[in-house]
Amino acid sequence: MIAELGNAINSTLQNLFKNPMTDEAIEKSLKEICTVLIRSNIGIVCADTFRAGAFDQVKQNAIKINVPYFGSSDPDPVKVAKEGVAKFKKNDFELILVDTSGRHTQESDLFAEMKEMISVIAPNNIVFVMDAGIGQSAEDQALGFKNAVKVGGIILTKLDGASKAGGALSSVAATNCPIEFIGTGEGMEEFDVFDAKRFVSKMLGMGDIEGLIDKISTIDIDEGDMMNKLSTGTLRLIDFKNIFSQILSLGPVSKMFEMIPGMNNISIPDETKFNKILYAFDSMTREELESNGNLFFKQQGRVMRIAKGCGLSKEFVMDILTNYRQSSSVMKNMMKNPMLSQMFSGGLDPKAKKRLMNNVKGKIPAQLQDYLDQIN
Ligand SMILES: Nc1nc2c(ncn2[C@@H]2O[C@H](COP(=O)(O)OP(=O)(O)OP(=O)(O)O)[C@@H](O)[C@H]2O)c(=O)[nH]1
């Protein structure tokens, strides 16, 4: 962790000295260092001594996100929790998560054990994680926990899969237990803050524009530089790769489509195809990435090398390059349109905005229209 922090500080300082020291650049550097610092202050204790493999699971996940973990072969979960919390506290960790085994309201001995653990480690917050697959019995579970201990928040997982998930959600809501987060898939990033309005809107196929904007605003691109490249047709493959990998890091593409009004039923035929495109980029040399891609069309041997390097067909790699070439040329032409160019470079003046709104009226889904009306 210290090495990671050192690297983050090193690379951000190098970037700061290499580039002009603007407010944004300083803010970005601080953000990068803070991210590592925040992570370095979280520890996970696996106090699930009941299920074989529980510790391995926590360990694998903790390693994936680079967070320290603690587990022990002691069969007593209370002792493990106490030891883990003490260890992290001694090292000044600010957030210590204690994961316990699952339990049911009827299991009185497990409830007694939970209360004992709470009295020993004195947590600041107790979060109840519930699988939405249990449907309406979620109400009993939520009430059982709420009455037994001071539940600070609920995480409802698997809202993506089970047909009973809606029942679980309404049952928990009926108990007035605060649902803080929801799990919407198996991946680490498929986890959202629960916002009732957005959730209902998405469920009714009305999208979640605010959520989409939140997600998209985390994409880190230099807008001025990008605009310049788009309008002059000088977008390089590496720029294309950067945008693409940042979009993919926002989560599954199908989930993003669900956030767009009217697009909730669009099925993405093969999500893995997007990752394959990144593999192809990863097999390119620096010279190729820094180019506009023309060298691939002149020297087909390069395409063969990429295809072999990433285990994909020559046609697939050619498709990527052709798409890249077409989109750069479409964008270059679009930028010749003053209204579009103004819109992409930071906003239209009120008159142009009004004209654009009149142009799209009736041609876009009604909910999206409502949303645009609201924000304009
Ligand atoms: N589809 C989907 N899968 C999920 C979600 N949340 C967790 N999972 C998967 O469900 C499986 C079980 O999750 P666990 O985290 O082991 O569940 P747990 O609450 O620790 O289980 P206990 O042993 O009872 O404590 C894992 O494979 C997870 O990846 C979700 O929101 N959607």
Coordinates of all heavy atoms in Angstrom, one line a residue, residues 48 51 57 100-102 157-158 160 183-186, ligand 1:
D48 N -16.8 -14.8 8.9 CA -17.7 -15.9 8.5 C -16.9 -17.2 8.6 O -16.2 -17.6 7.7 CB -18.2 -15.7 7.0 CG -19.1 -16.9 6.6 OD1 -19.3 -17.9 7.4 OD2 -19.7 -16.8 5.5
R51 N -19.2 -20.9 6.7 CA -19.1 -21.5 5.3 C -17.7 -21.7 4.9 O -16.9 -20.8 4.9 CB -19.8 -20.5 4.4 CG -19.9 -21.0 2.9 CD -20.9 -20.2 2.2 NE -20.7 -18.7 2.1 CZ -19.9 -18.2 1.2 NH1 -19.3 -18.9 0.3 NH2 -19.7 -16.9 1.2
Q57 N -13.1 -16.3 -0.5 CA -13.9 -15.4 -1.3 C -13.6 -13.9 -0.9 O -13.3 -13.1 -1.8 CB -15.4 -15.7 -1.1 CG -16.3 -15.1 -2.1 CD -17.7 -15.3 -1.7 OE1 -18.1 -15.9 -0.7 NE2 -18.6 -14.9 -2.6
T100 N -19.9 -11.0 8.2 CA -20.3 -12.2 9.0 C -21.1 -13.2 8.1 O -21.4 -12.9 7.0 CB -21.3 -11.8 10.2 OG1 -22.5 -11.4 9.6 CG2 -20.7 -10.7 11.0
S101 N -21.3 -14.4 8.6 CA -22.1 -15.4 7.8 C -23.6 -15.0 7.8 O -24.1 -14.3 8.6 CB -21.9 -16.8 8.4 OG -22.5 -16.8 9.7
G102 N -24.2 -15.5 6.8 CA -25.7 -15.3 6.6 C -26.4 -15.9 7.8 O -26.0 -16.9 8.3
T157 N -29.3 -7.2 -2.5 CA -28.5 -7.7 -3.7 C -29.4 -8.4 -4.6 O -30.6 -8.8 -4.3 CB -27.4 -8.6 -3.3 OG1 -27.9 -9.7 -2.7 CG2 -26.4 -7.9 -2.3
K158 N -28.9 -8.7 -5.8 CA -29.5 -9.5 -6.9 C -30.8 -8.9 -7.4 O -31.8 -9.7 -7.7 CB -29.7 -10.9 -6.4 CG -28.4 -11.5 -6.0 CD -28.4 -13.0 -5.8 CE -27.0 -13.5 -5.2 NZ -27.0 -14.7 -4.6
D160 N -31.1 -7.7 -10.1 CA -31.0 -7.9 -11.5 C -31.7 -9.1 -11.9 O -32.4 -9.2 -13.0 CB -29.6 -8.0 -12.0 CG -28.7 -8.9 -11.1 OD1 -28.8 -8.8 -9.9 OD2 -28.1 -9.8 -11.7
G183 N -27.6 -4.2 -5.2 CA -26.7 -5.0 -6.1 C -27.4 -5.3 -7.3 O -28.6 -5.7 -7.3
T184 N -26.8 -5.0 -8.5 CA -27.5 -5.2 -9.7 C -26.8 -6.1 -10.7 O -27.1 -6.2 -11.8 CB -27.7 -3.8 -10.5 OG1 -26.4 -3.3 -10.7 CG2 -28.6 -2.9 -9.7
G185 N -25.8 -6.9 -10.1 CA -25.1 -7.8 -11.0 C -23.9 -8.4 -10.2 O -23.7 -8.0 -9.0
E186 N -23.2 -9.4 -10.8 CA -22.2 -10.0 -10.1 C -20.9 -9.2 -9.9 O -20.1 -9.4 -9.0 CB -21.9 -11.4 -10.8 CG -22.6 -12.5 -10.2 CD -22.0 -13.8 -10.6 OE1 -22.4 -14.3 -11.7 OE2 -21.2 -14.4 -9.8
Ligands
LIG1 N1 -26.5 -11.5 -10.1 C1 -26.0 -11.0 -9.0 N2 -25.2 -11.7 -8.3 C2 -24.8 -11.2 -7.1 C3 -25.2 -10.0 -6.6 N3 -24.6 -9.8 -5.4 C4 -23.8 -10.9 -5.1 N4 -23.9 -11.8 -6.1 C5 -23.3 -13.1 -6.3 O1 -23.9 -14.0 -5.4 C6 -22.9 -14.9 -4.9 C7 -23.1 -15.0 -3.4 O2 -22.7 -13.8 -2.8 P1 -22.0 -13.7 -1.4 O3 -21.3 -12.4 -1.3 O4 -21.2 -14.9 -1.2 O5 -23.2 -13.8 -0.5 P2 -23.1 -13.7 1.1 O6 -24.2 -12.7 1.5 O7 -21.7 -13.4 1.6 O8 -23.6 -15.1 1.6 P3 -23.5 -15.6 3.0 O9 -22.6 -16.8 3.0 O10 -24.9 -16.0 3.3 O11 -23.0 -14.5 3.9 C8 -21.6 -14.4 -5.4 O12 -21.2 -15.3 -6.5 C9 -21.8 -13.0 -5.8 O13 -21.0 -12.7 -6.9 C10 -26.1 -9.2 -7.4 O14 -26.5 -8.1 -7.0 N5 -26.5 -9.8 -8.6

